[in-house]
Amino acid sequence: MDEMSQLRGLLRLKAYERPPSGYHERFLKEFQRRQRAAWLRAPGLVLWWEAFLGLWPNFEVPRVAYATAALVAALAGAALWWNPPQQDRMATASPVTASDFSLMKPPVFIRESLPVSQPALPPAPSRHFVLQPLPAYHEAPLSF
Amino acid sequence: MDDSTASDEELVARTQAGEVEAFDELVRRYSPRLYGLVYNMTSHHEDTDDLLQEIFAKAFRSIRGFRGRSRFHTWIHAIAVNMTLNFLKRRGRRGMMSLDDVDNGVQSDPEFLKAAASSDPLRQVALRELQKKLNEAMQKLSNEHRAVVTMFDIQGLPHAEIAQILGISEGTVRSRLHYAHRQLQNHLKEFMKGLEG
C-alpha cells in the first residue's frame, strides 16, 4: 500500500469519531432552550421587525442596494464638504447679557466720507462787505 | 406527518412557513454530520459544541433567505465552514492553541472499536497513537487546508460541492488537497513506517 492510500485510510478512520452517546439529543434540547431564551430576550422592536419581514417571505434586498446607498452617502458628503451651507450670523450669535454691556467700550462713530469728484465750477466773483454806519435795527432814542 | 421521512426541501419550506418543529428535524438530521465537520476543524469538543449551537441559530435566523438555488445540505455546510473559519481566525489572534489542547477525548464509534479490536493489540496501540498524531498533524495545517481535508477525506464530499461551499474553483480545491496531503505525509512519515512494520 502506498503512503497516500495509507494516509487516506487513516483520515477515513476519523469519520468514526463520535461525541459521547446521547450528545445529539441533549444538543437539540439545548438548542430549543437557547432559541426560546433568545426569543424572550429579544426587544419588542426586533420581534415586530421579524414579524413584519415575515409578511413578505420573498422579499430580498437587491444586491446593489447597499452599494448604492453607500455611494449616495459618499456623494452627499463630498458635496457638503466642497460647498458648506452659509450659516446665518444672527442665528449663531450668542445672546447679549448685561455683563457684555459693562465690558463694552463706548461706540466710536466714524464719519464715513467718500471723496466725491465735483464738477469744476467757474470761479466765484470776489465779494466784499461794507459795514453800515448804523445797525440794521436802529431806533432813535426816546426824547422827552 | 412523520418528519423523519420528509425531504430537506419539504422541512425547509415548512420552517419558512413558521413551523418550528420542522427545523428541529433538520437539527436532528444534520447535527452529527456538522459535528464531525466542526470537530475535525477545531479538534476541541467544547468549542465544537458552542459553534454548532451558533451555526444552527444562524441557519434558523437566515432560513427565510434560503431560495433553494443550492441544496440545503450545501447551504448549511457553507454556514458551518464559514463560521468555523471565522472562529479559528479569532482563536488564532487570541493565541495559537497548543497541541497539548488537542482533544482526543471524543469517543470512537463502536464499529471502529470493533474493527480495531480484531487486529493484534500492538497494532491497536500503534493505531491509537497514530490517530493522536494525525490530530496533531491536522492542527499544523492552515485552517483552509484543514477544511478541505475534512470535507473531502473525512466527510467524503465531492470536489464540486466543496468548491461550492467554499466559493472557490474545483482546481483550487484539488491543489489545496494535494498540498495538504503532502504536509500530512511529512508529519506522519515516521509513524506510518512503524505501522507498516
Side-chain angles (χ1 to χ4, degrees):
Chain A
M1 196 194 292
D2 66 296
E3 278 190 0
M4 185 55 74
S5 315
Q6 212 174 16
L7 176 68
R8 286 191 176 157
L10 280 172
L11 286 168
R12 267 196 297 276
L13 284 180
K14 282 184 71 62
Y16 289 105
E17 288 178 347
R18 293 280 184 273
S21 65
Y23 168 79
H24 293 295
E25 277 309 310
R26 286 197 300 276
F27 176 83
L28 178 60
K29 285 194 175 73
E30 176 64 13
F31 176 73
Q32 289 165 336
R33 189 193 66 75
R34 286 192 194 192
Q35 285 299 105
R36 275 198 299 274
W39 185 258
L40 289 172
R41 269 201 315 271
L45 195 63
V46 173
L47 298 179
W48 178 85
W49 178 245
E50 284 182 356
F52 178 72
L53 288 180
L55 296 175
W56 293 280
N58 293 326
F59 174 74
E60 220 174 345
V61 178
R63 284 185 182 186
V64 292
Y66 296 116
T68 309
L71 184 67
V72 168
L75 287 175
L80 284 174
W81 190 74
W82 282 110
N83 190 16
Q86 292 291 325
Q87 288 184 330
D88 187 355
R89 287 182 188 174
M90 290 300 288
T92 56
S94 57
V96 179
T97 60
S99 61
D100 292 336
F101 283 112
S102 63
L103 295 171
M104 213 179 274
K105 290 179 182 175
V108 177
F109 294 103
I110 299 170
R111 185 175 174 189
E112 289 181 357
S113 61
L114 295 172
V116 178
S117 60
Q118 292 185 350
L121 296 171
S126 61
R127 295 177 199 174
H128 65 276
F129 300 91
V130 177
L131 288 173
Q132 298 294 325
L134 291 173
Y137 177 77
H138 175 73
E139 281 182 32
L142 291 173
S143 59
F144 298 95
Chain B
M1 184 182 175
D2 186 9
D3 286 342
S4 61
T5 56
S7 69
D8 286 357
E9 287 68 30
E10 207 177 313
L11 292 169
V12 168
R14 282 164 52 194
T15 308
Q16 286 174 332
E19 198 183 318
V20 183
E21 294 74 22
F23 192 77
D24 289 348
E25 176 56 28
L26 287 170
V27 173
R28 209 173 280 120
R29 198 172 284 187
Y30 278 93
S31 64
R33 178 168 269 274
L34 293 184
Y35 181 91
L37 174 70
V38 178
Y39 175 73
N40 281 301
M41 286 174 72
T42 60
S43 289
H44 200 273
H45 175 68
E46 277 76 27
D47 287 347
T48 303
D49 188 40
D50 287 343
L51 258 172
L52 213 53
Q53 290 285 349
E54 288 174 30
I55 289 163
F56 280 112
K58 185 174 173 59
F60 184 67
R61 286 197 304 271
S62 318
I63 203 156
R64 282 185 199 281
F66 177 68
R67 297 279 164 268
R69 291 191 196 108
S70 62
R71 290 160 59 208
F72 178 76
H73 179 276
T74 308
W75 183 76
I76 200 160
H77 270 71
I79 292 177
V81 171
N82 287 327
M83 286 184 74
T84 308
L85 287 174
N86 286 337
F87 167 80
L88 291 171
K89 270 182 211 156
R90 287 201 305 274
R91 190 168 77 177
R93 277 199 292 272
R94 283 203 306 266
M96 281 296 289
M97 193 174 79
S98 159
L99 286 178
D100 294 337
D101 298 332
V102 173
D103 184 2
N104 292 300
V106 173
Q107 289 178 357
S108 294
D109 190 78
E111 199 180 330
F112 167 69
L113 291 173
K114 201 167 69 183
S118 64
S119 51
D120 66 277
L122 281 177
R123 189 180 162 81
Q124 195 180 324
V125 170
L127 199 63
R128 289 239 174 255
E129 184 65 15
L130 191 60
Q131 280 293 95
K132 191 180 167 204
K133 292 289 168 194
L134 186 59
N135 281 346
E136 291 172 2
M138 285 280 283
Q139 281 302 313
K140 285 180 184 165
L141 294 177
S142 76
N143 297 334
E144 286 74 17
H145 286 100
R146 200 179 321 123
V148 173
V149 168
T150 302
M151 284 188 275
F152 182 77
D153 291 301
I154 303 175
Q155 303 230 289
L157 299 184
H159 292 111
E161 191 168 6
I162 297 171
Q164 213 180 343
I165 288 167
L166 292 173
I168 54 177
S169 70
E170 274 190 60
T172 308
V173 172
R174 285 175 201 278
S175 83
R176 281 188 191 175
L177 266 176
H178 180 73
Y179 178 83
H181 286 158
R182 291 274 300 277
Q183 292 277 327
L184 288 173
Q185 272 179 309
N186 284 339
H187 290 311
L188 297 168
K189 201 176 278 177
E190 293 305 312
F191 287 92
M192 281 163 81
K193 275 180 193 162
L195 197 69
E196 276 173 358

mmCIF file of all heavy atoms in Angstrom, chain B residues 103-144:
data_model
loop_
_atom_site.group_PDB
_atom_site.id
_atom_site.type_symbol
_atom_site.label_atom_id
_atom_site.label_comp_id
_atom_site.label_asym_id
_atom_site.label_seq_id
_atom_site.Cartn_x
_atom_site.Cartn_y
_atom_site.Cartn_z
ATOM 1 N N ASP B 103 -8.008 17.818 21.536
ATOM 2 C CA ASP B 103 -8.915 16.939 22.270
ATOM 3 C C ASP B 103 -8.895 15.548 21.650
ATOM 4 O O ASP B 103 -9.186 15.377 20.474
ATOM 5 C CB ASP B 103 -10.313 17.559 22.147
ATOM 6 C CG ASP B 103 -11.354 16.823 22.937
ATOM 7 O OD1 ASP B 103 -10.986 15.854 23.613
ATOM 8 O OD2 ASP B 103 -12.510 17.229 22.863
ATOM 9 N N ASN B 104 -8.526 14.593 22.445
ATOM 10 C CA ASN B 104 -8.586 13.204 21.959
ATOM 11 C C ASN B 104 -9.653 12.423 22.717
ATOM 12 O O ASN B 104 -9.670 11.207 22.690
ATOM 13 C CB ASN B 104 -7.224 12.525 22.126
ATOM 14 C CG ASN B 104 -6.190 13.130 21.201
ATOM 15 O OD1 ASN B 104 -6.340 13.103 19.985
ATOM 16 N ND2 ASN B 104 -5.157 13.719 21.765
ATOM 17 N N GLY B 105 -10.508 13.185 23.379
ATOM 18 C CA GLY B 105 -11.472 12.541 24.264
ATOM 19 C C GLY B 105 -12.760 12.103 23.600
ATOM 20 O O GLY B 105 -13.582 11.453 24.234
ATOM 21 N N VAL B 106 -12.966 12.470 22.354
ATOM 22 C CA VAL B 106 -14.214 12.082 21.704
ATOM 23 C C VAL B 106 -14.216 10.582 21.467
ATOM 24 O O VAL B 106 -13.252 10.009 20.983
ATOM 25 C CB VAL B 106 -14.375 12.844 20.369
ATOM 26 C CG1 VAL B 106 -15.559 12.326 19.606
ATOM 27 C CG2 VAL B 106 -14.534 14.320 20.646
ATOM 28 N N GLN B 107 -15.298 9.963 21.874
ATOM 29 C CA GLN B 107 -15.371 8.506 21.755
ATOM 30 C C GLN B 107 -15.400 8.084 20.296
ATOM 31 O O GLN B 107 -16.002 8.762 19.470
ATOM 32 C CB GLN B 107 -16.651 8.010 22.416
ATOM 33 C CG GLN B 107 -16.616 8.125 23.920
ATOM 34 C CD GLN B 107 -17.921 7.668 24.520
ATOM 35 O OE1 GLN B 107 -18.868 7.326 23.806
ATOM 36 N NE2 GLN B 107 -17.966 7.649 25.832
ATOM 37 N N SER B 108 -14.740 6.982 20.028
ATOM 38 C CA SER B 108 -14.811 6.451 18.669
ATOM 39 C C SER B 108 -16.065 5.601 18.529
ATOM 40 O O SER B 108 -16.605 5.104 19.504
ATOM 41 C CB SER B 108 -13.578 5.626 18.370
ATOM 42 O OG SER B 108 -12.450 6.469 18.366
ATOM 43 N N ASP B 109 -16.473 5.512 17.311
ATOM 44 C CA ASP B 109 -17.684 4.752 17.023
ATOM 45 C C ASP B 109 -17.480 3.279 17.390
ATOM 46 O O ASP B 109 -16.397 2.740 17.175
ATOM 47 C CB ASP B 109 -17.968 4.907 15.530
ATOM 48 C CG ASP B 109 -19.317 4.369 15.178
ATOM 49 O OD1 ASP B 109 -20.304 5.066 15.449
ATOM 50 O OD2 ASP B 109 -19.380 3.261 14.630
ATOM 51 N N PRO B 110 -18.498 2.604 17.925
ATOM 52 C CA PRO B 110 -18.346 1.176 18.279
ATOM 53 C C PRO B 110 -17.883 0.326 17.088
ATOM 54 O O PRO B 110 -17.127 -0.623 17.265
ATOM 55 C CB PRO B 110 -19.755 0.767 18.697
ATOM 56 C CG PRO B 110 -20.443 2.025 19.075
ATOM 57 C CD PRO B 110 -19.802 3.120 18.303
ATOM 58 N N GLU B 111 -18.311 0.732 15.897
ATOM 59 C CA GLU B 111 -17.923 -0.026 14.702
ATOM 60 C C GLU B 111 -16.398 0.022 14.514
ATOM 61 O O GLU B 111 -15.750 -0.968 14.186
ATOM 62 C CB GLU B 111 -18.601 0.616 13.488
ATOM 63 C CG GLU B 111 -18.679 -0.287 12.272
ATOM 64 C CD GLU B 111 -19.367 0.434 11.119
ATOM 65 O OE1 GLU B 111 -20.222 1.289 11.392
ATOM 66 O OE2 GLU B 111 -19.016 0.150 9.968
ATOM 67 N N PHE B 112 -15.855 1.230 14.775
ATOM 68 C CA PHE B 112 -14.412 1.401 14.647
ATOM 69 C C PHE B 112 -13.683 0.609 15.736
ATOM 70 O O PHE B 112 -12.672 -0.049 15.483
ATOM 71 C CB PHE B 112 -14.054 2.889 14.748
ATOM 72 C CG PHE B 112 -12.591 3.140 14.946
ATOM 73 C CD1 PHE B 112 -11.689 2.882 13.915
ATOM 74 C CD2 PHE B 112 -12.109 3.619 16.143
ATOM 75 C CE1 PHE B 112 -10.330 3.105 14.097
ATOM 76 C CE2 PHE B 112 -10.762 3.842 16.331
ATOM 77 C CZ PHE B 112 -9.860 3.588 15.308
ATOM 78 N N LEU B 113 -14.243 0.667 16.955
ATOM 79 C CA LEU B 113 -13.595 -0.039 18.066
ATOM 80 C C LEU B 113 -13.544 -1.546 17.792
ATOM 81 O O LEU B 113 -12.554 -2.208 18.071
ATOM 82 C CB LEU B 113 -14.355 0.226 19.377
ATOM 83 C CG LEU B 113 -14.253 1.654 19.915
ATOM 84 C CD1 LEU B 113 -15.171 1.832 21.119
ATOM 85 C CD2 LEU B 113 -12.811 1.978 20.295
ATOM 86 N N LYS B 114 -14.638 -2.052 17.201
ATOM 87 C CA LYS B 114 -14.698 -3.486 16.888
ATOM 88 C C LYS B 114 -13.621 -3.836 15.847
ATOM 89 O O LYS B 114 -12.903 -4.816 15.982
ATOM 90 C CB LYS B 114 -16.093 -3.821 16.339
ATOM 91 C CG LYS B 114 -16.453 -5.294 16.450
ATOM 92 C CD LYS B 114 -17.932 -5.515 16.195
ATOM 93 C CE LYS B 114 -18.270 -5.262 14.733
ATOM 94 N NZ LYS B 114 -19.693 -5.392 14.453
ATOM 95 N N ALA B 115 -13.492 -2.952 14.855
ATOM 96 C CA ALA B 115 -12.506 -3.182 13.791
ATOM 97 C C ALA B 115 -11.091 -3.139 14.367
ATOM 98 O O ALA B 115 -10.235 -3.947 14.001
ATOM 99 C CB ALA B 115 -12.667 -2.131 12.699
ATOM 100 N N ALA B 116 -10.866 -2.200 15.295
ATOM 101 C CA ALA B 116 -9.535 -2.071 15.876
ATOM 102 C C ALA B 116 -9.222 -3.277 16.774
ATOM 103 O O ALA B 116 -8.096 -3.770 16.811
ATOM 104 C CB ALA B 116 -9.448 -0.786 16.682
ATOM 105 N N ALA B 117 -10.258 -3.764 17.504
ATOM 106 C CA ALA B 117 -10.049 -4.880 18.433
ATOM 107 C C ALA B 117 -9.754 -6.179 17.696
ATOM 108 O O ALA B 117 -9.108 -7.082 18.242
ATOM 109 C CB ALA B 117 -11.280 -5.054 19.312
ATOM 110 N N SER B 118 -10.186 -6.273 16.471
ATOM 111 C CA SER B 118 -9.992 -7.509 15.720
ATOM 112 C C SER B 118 -8.518 -7.703 15.342
ATOM 113 O O SER B 118 -8.081 -8.806 15.075
ATOM 114 C CB SER B 118 -10.859 -7.508 14.461
ATOM 115 O OG SER B 118 -10.442 -6.475 13.621
ATOM 116 N N SER B 119 -7.769 -6.617 15.304
ATOM 117 C CA SER B 119 -6.349 -6.755 14.976
ATOM 118 C C SER B 119 -5.558 -6.994 16.264
ATOM 119 O O SER B 119 -6.086 -6.907 17.369
ATOM 120 C CB SER B 119 -5.878 -5.511 14.250
ATOM 121 O OG SER B 119 -6.242 -4.381 14.985
ATOM 122 N N ASP B 120 -4.275 -7.245 16.098
ATOM 123 C CA ASP B 120 -3.488 -7.576 17.294
ATOM 124 C C ASP B 120 -3.276 -6.358 18.187
ATOM 125 O O ASP B 120 -3.324 -5.216 17.706
ATOM 126 C CB ASP B 120 -2.153 -8.207 16.883
ATOM 127 C CG ASP B 120 -1.275 -7.238 16.164
ATOM 128 O OD1 ASP B 120 -1.473 -7.072 14.929
ATOM 129 O OD2 ASP B 120 -0.435 -6.610 16.808
ATOM 130 N N PRO B 121 -3.066 -6.562 19.518
ATOM 131 C CA PRO B 121 -3.009 -5.452 20.486
ATOM 132 C C PRO B 121 -1.930 -4.421 20.154
ATOM 133 O O PRO B 121 -2.146 -3.226 20.318
ATOM 134 C CB PRO B 121 -2.709 -6.148 21.820
ATOM 135 C CG PRO B 121 -3.048 -7.565 21.626
ATOM 136 C CD PRO B 121 -2.915 -7.865 20.180
ATOM 137 N N LEU B 122 -0.775 -4.888 19.692
ATOM 138 C CA LEU B 122 0.313 -3.942 19.392
ATOM 139 C C LEU B 122 -0.094 -2.991 18.275
ATOM 140 O O LEU B 122 0.135 -1.784 18.320
ATOM 141 C CB LEU B 122 1.584 -4.697 18.988
ATOM 142 C CG LEU B 122 2.400 -5.279 20.142
ATOM 143 C CD1 LEU B 122 3.591 -6.059 19.603
ATOM 144 C CD2 LEU B 122 2.907 -4.142 21.051
ATOM 145 N N ARG B 123 -0.710 -3.573 17.284
ATOM 146 C CA ARG B 123 -1.174 -2.772 16.153
ATOM 147 C C ARG B 123 -2.254 -1.780 16.606
ATOM 148 O O ARG B 123 -2.311 -0.644 16.146
ATOM 149 C CB ARG B 123 -1.717 -3.705 15.065
ATOM 150 C CG ARG B 123 -2.025 -3.003 13.756
ATOM 151 C CD ARG B 123 -2.558 -4.003 12.745
ATOM 152 N NE ARG B 123 -3.243 -3.325 11.663
ATOM 153 C CZ ARG B 123 -2.651 -2.764 10.632
ATOM 154 N NH1 ARG B 123 -1.338 -2.782 10.534
ATOM 155 N NH2 ARG B 123 -3.343 -2.170 9.679
ATOM 156 N N GLN B 124 -3.076 -2.255 17.546
ATOM 157 C CA GLN B 124 -4.154 -1.402 18.076
ATOM 158 C C GLN B 124 -3.577 -0.173 18.785
ATOM 159 O O GLN B 124 -4.049 0.944 18.593
ATOM 160 C CB GLN B 124 -4.983 -2.237 19.052
ATOM 161 C CG GLN B 124 -6.319 -1.623 19.388
ATOM 162 C CD GLN B 124 -7.081 -2.500 20.358
ATOM 163 O OE1 GLN B 124 -7.013 -3.720 20.303
ATOM 164 N NE2 GLN B 124 -7.793 -1.873 21.263
ATOM 165 N N VAL B 125 -2.528 -0.416 19.606
ATOM 166 C CA VAL B 125 -1.881 0.685 20.320
ATOM 167 C C VAL B 125 -1.265 1.652 19.306
ATOM 168 O O VAL B 125 -1.405 2.884 19.419
ATOM 169 C CB VAL B 125 -0.794 0.138 21.287
ATOM 170 C CG1 VAL B 125 0.062 1.278 21.851
ATOM 171 C CG2 VAL B 125 -1.437 -0.638 22.409
ATOM 172 N N ALA B 126 -0.619 1.071 18.307
ATOM 173 C CA ALA B 126 0.015 1.903 17.273
ATOM 174 C C ALA B 126 -1.032 2.731 16.543
ATOM 175 O O ALA B 126 -0.813 3.900 16.231
ATOM 176 C CB ALA B 126 0.771 1.009 16.288
ATOM 177 N N LEU B 127 -2.164 2.110 16.318
ATOM 178 C CA LEU B 127 -3.250 2.801 15.609
ATOM 179 C C LEU B 127 -3.777 3.980 16.435
ATOM 180 O O LEU B 127 -4.017 5.066 15.905
ATOM 181 C CB LEU B 127 -4.368 1.789 15.341
ATOM 182 C CG LEU B 127 -5.377 2.139 14.259
ATOM 183 C CD1 LEU B 127 -4.707 2.239 12.904
ATOM 184 C CD2 LEU B 127 -6.476 1.098 14.207
ATOM 185 N N ARG B 128 -3.917 3.741 17.738
ATOM 186 C CA ARG B 128 -4.395 4.813 18.629
ATOM 187 C C ARG B 128 -3.390 5.971 18.649
ATOM 188 O O ARG B 128 -3.779 7.132 18.597
ATOM 189 C CB ARG B 128 -4.561 4.273 20.063
ATOM 190 C CG ARG B 128 -5.712 3.330 20.212
ATOM 191 C CD ARG B 128 -6.697 3.888 21.255
ATOM 192 N NE ARG B 128 -7.876 3.061 21.307
ATOM 193 C CZ ARG B 128 -9.040 3.421 20.773
ATOM 194 N NH1 ARG B 128 -9.173 4.571 20.163
ATOM 195 N NH2 ARG B 128 -10.079 2.627 20.836
ATOM 196 N N GLU B 129 -2.123 5.583 18.756
ATOM 197 C CA GLU B 129 -1.060 6.604 18.777
ATOM 198 C C GLU B 129 -1.061 7.389 17.457
ATOM 199 O O GLU B 129 -0.906 8.609 17.437
ATOM 200 C CB GLU B 129 0.284 5.890 18.981
ATOM 201 C CG GLU B 129 1.482 6.811 19.119
ATOM 202 C CD GLU B 129 1.446 7.684 20.379
ATOM 203 O OE1 GLU B 129 0.647 7.397 21.298
ATOM 204 O OE2 GLU B 129 2.205 8.654 20.409
ATOM 205 N N LEU B 130 -1.290 6.647 16.395
ATOM 206 C CA LEU B 130 -1.304 7.285 15.087
ATOM 207 C C LEU B 130 -2.486 8.245 14.945
ATOM 208 O O LEU B 130 -2.355 9.330 14.373
ATOM 209 C CB LEU B 130 -1.370 6.203 14.004
ATOM 210 C CG LEU B 130 -1.133 6.686 12.584
ATOM 211 C CD1 LEU B 130 0.253 7.314 12.450
ATOM 212 C CD2 LEU B 130 -1.264 5.547 11.607
ATOM 213 N N GLN B 131 -3.621 7.857 15.509
ATOM 214 C CA GLN B 131 -4.796 8.747 15.474
ATOM 215 C C GLN B 131 -4.488 10.056 16.200
ATOM 216 O O GLN B 131 -4.866 11.138 15.737
ATOM 217 C CB GLN B 131 -6.000 8.069 16.153
ATOM 218 C CG GLN B 131 -6.720 7.061 15.281
ATOM 219 C CD GLN B 131 -7.429 7.715 14.098
ATOM 220 O OE1 GLN B 131 -6.881 7.780 13.008
ATOM 221 N NE2 GLN B 131 -8.627 8.205 14.317
ATOM 222 N N LYS B 132 -3.780 9.927 17.315
ATOM 223 C CA LYS B 132 -3.411 11.110 18.085
ATOM 224 C C LYS B 132 -2.468 11.985 17.261
ATOM 225 O O LYS B 132 -2.633 13.212 17.188
ATOM 226 C CB LYS B 132 -2.733 10.668 19.390
ATOM 227 C CG LYS B 132 -2.532 11.772 20.379
ATOM 228 C CD LYS B 132 -1.853 11.256 21.628
ATOM 229 C CE LYS B 132 -1.389 12.439 22.464
ATOM 230 N NZ LYS B 132 -0.294 12.103 23.341
ATOM 231 N N LYS B 133 -1.507 11.325 16.649
ATOM 232 C CA LYS B 133 -0.545 12.073 15.822
ATOM 233 C C LYS B 133 -1.250 12.711 14.625
ATOM 234 O O LYS B 133 -0.884 13.802 14.180
ATOM 235 C CB LYS B 133 0.576 11.138 15.318
ATOM 236 C CG LYS B 133 1.476 10.655 16.402
ATOM 237 C CD LYS B 133 2.351 11.795 16.914
ATOM 238 C CE LYS B 133 3.056 11.396 18.208
ATOM 239 N NZ LYS B 133 3.642 12.547 18.911
ATOM 240 N N LEU B 134 -2.239 11.997 14.116
ATOM 241 C CA LEU B 134 -2.992 12.522 12.974
ATOM 242 C C LEU B 134 -3.727 13.802 13.355
ATOM 243 O O LEU B 134 -3.731 14.784 12.604
ATOM 244 C CB LEU B 134 -3.976 11.458 12.489
ATOM 245 C CG LEU B 134 -4.746 11.756 11.214
ATOM 246 C CD1 LEU B 134 -3.804 11.988 10.042
ATOM 247 C CD2 LEU B 134 -5.681 10.608 10.877
ATOM 248 N N ASN B 135 -4.323 13.817 14.550
ATOM 249 C CA ASN B 135 -4.995 15.037 15.033
ATOM 250 C C ASN B 135 -4.006 16.189 15.145
ATOM 251 O O ASN B 135 -4.301 17.321 14.785
ATOM 252 C CB ASN B 135 -5.635 14.787 16.402
ATOM 253 C CG ASN B 135 -6.950 14.041 16.296
ATOM 254 O OD1 ASN B 135 -7.509 13.934 15.207
ATOM 255 N ND2 ASN B 135 -7.430 13.522 17.400
ATOM 256 N N GLU B 136 -2.832 15.875 15.671
ATOM 257 C CA GLU B 136 -1.814 16.923 15.820
ATOM 258 C C GLU B 136 -1.359 17.436 14.455
ATOM 259 O O GLU B 136 -1.187 18.640 14.257
ATOM 260 C CB GLU B 136 -0.623 16.386 16.612
ATOM 261 C CG GLU B 136 -0.968 16.129 18.076
ATOM 262 C CD GLU B 136 0.140 15.416 18.850
ATOM 263 O OE1 GLU B 136 1.206 15.144 18.254
ATOM 264 O OE2 GLU B 136 -0.086 15.137 20.039
ATOM 265 N N ALA B 137 -1.187 16.492 13.529
ATOM 266 C CA ALA B 137 -0.754 16.889 12.181
ATOM 267 C C ALA B 137 -1.833 17.741 11.499
ATOM 268 O O ALA B 137 -1.518 18.720 10.810
ATOM 269 C CB ALA B 137 -0.475 15.646 11.343
ATOM 270 N N MET B 138 -3.075 17.393 11.742
ATOM 271 C CA MET B 138 -4.186 18.175 11.173
ATOM 272 C C MET B 138 -4.143 19.607 11.694
ATOM 273 O O MET B 138 -4.407 20.561 10.975
ATOM 274 C CB MET B 138 -5.528 17.539 11.555
ATOM 275 C CG MET B 138 -5.872 16.283 10.802
ATOM 276 S SD MET B 138 -6.517 16.596 9.166
ATOM 277 C CE MET B 138 -8.191 17.085 9.550
ATOM 278 N N GLN B 139 -3.813 19.751 12.977
ATOM 279 C CA GLN B 139 -3.770 21.094 13.574
ATOM 280 C C GLN B 139 -2.624 21.927 13.022
ATOM 281 O O GLN B 139 -2.643 23.147 13.124
ATOM 282 C CB GLN B 139 -3.659 20.995 15.099
ATOM 283 C CG GLN B 139 -4.974 20.691 15.783
ATOM 284 C CD GLN B 139 -6.048 21.727 15.493
ATOM 285 O OE1 GLN B 139 -5.815 22.916 15.581
ATOM 286 N NE2 GLN B 139 -7.221 21.259 15.112
ATOM 287 N N LYS B 140 -1.622 21.249 12.444
ATOM 288 C CA LYS B 140 -0.492 22.005 11.885
ATOM 289 C C LYS B 140 -0.826 22.565 10.502
ATOM 290 O O LYS B 140 -0.120 23.433 10.002
ATOM 291 C CB LYS B 140 0.757 21.117 11.818
ATOM 292 C CG LYS B 140 1.392 20.915 13.183
ATOM 293 C CD LYS B 140 2.609 20.036 13.088
ATOM 294 C CE LYS B 140 3.182 19.771 14.490
ATOM 295 N NZ LYS B 140 4.132 18.645 14.476
ATOM 296 N N LEU B 141 -1.876 22.046 9.889
ATOM 297 C CA LEU B 141 -2.298 22.579 8.580
ATOM 298 C C LEU B 141 -2.932 23.955 8.770
ATOM 299 O O LEU B 141 -3.429 24.265 9.857
ATOM 300 C CB LEU B 141 -3.334 21.655 7.934
ATOM 301 C CG LEU B 141 -2.901 20.261 7.518
ATOM 302 C CD1 LEU B 141 -4.115 19.494 6.975
ATOM 303 C CD2 LEU B 141 -1.817 20.309 6.445
ATOM 304 N N SER B 142 -2.934 24.742 7.705
ATOM 305 C CA SER B 142 -3.656 26.023 7.784
ATOM 306 C C SER B 142 -5.153 25.723 7.868
ATOM 307 O O SER B 142 -5.599 24.625 7.493
ATOM 308 C CB SER B 142 -3.377 26.889 6.560
ATOM 309 O OG SER B 142 -4.114 26.403 5.460
ATOM 310 N N ASN B 143 -5.926 26.685 8.357
ATOM 311 C CA ASN B 143 -7.375 26.467 8.527
ATOM 312 C C ASN B 143 -8.040 26.069 7.211
ATOM 313 O O ASN B 143 -8.895 25.183 7.173
ATOM 314 C CB ASN B 143 -8.040 27.730 9.071
ATOM 315 C CG ASN B 143 -7.526 28.082 10.447
ATOM 316 O OD1 ASN B 143 -7.067 27.211 11.191
ATOM 317 N ND2 ASN B 143 -7.592 29.357 10.801
ATOM 318 N N GLU B 144 -7.655 26.735 6.127
ATOM 319 C CA GLU B 144 -8.285 26.474 4.829
ATOM 320 C C GLU B 144 -7.942 25.075 4.322
ATOM 321 O O GLU B 144 -8.800 24.371 3.773
ATOM 322 C CB GLU B 144 -7.831 27.511 3.799
ATOM 323 C CG GLU B 144 -8.453 28.888 3.979
ATOM 324 C CD GLU B 144 -7.895 29.664 5.162
ATOM 325 O OE1 GLU B 144 -6.800 29.287 5.653
ATOM 326 O OE2 GLU B 144 -8.542 30.635 5.608
#
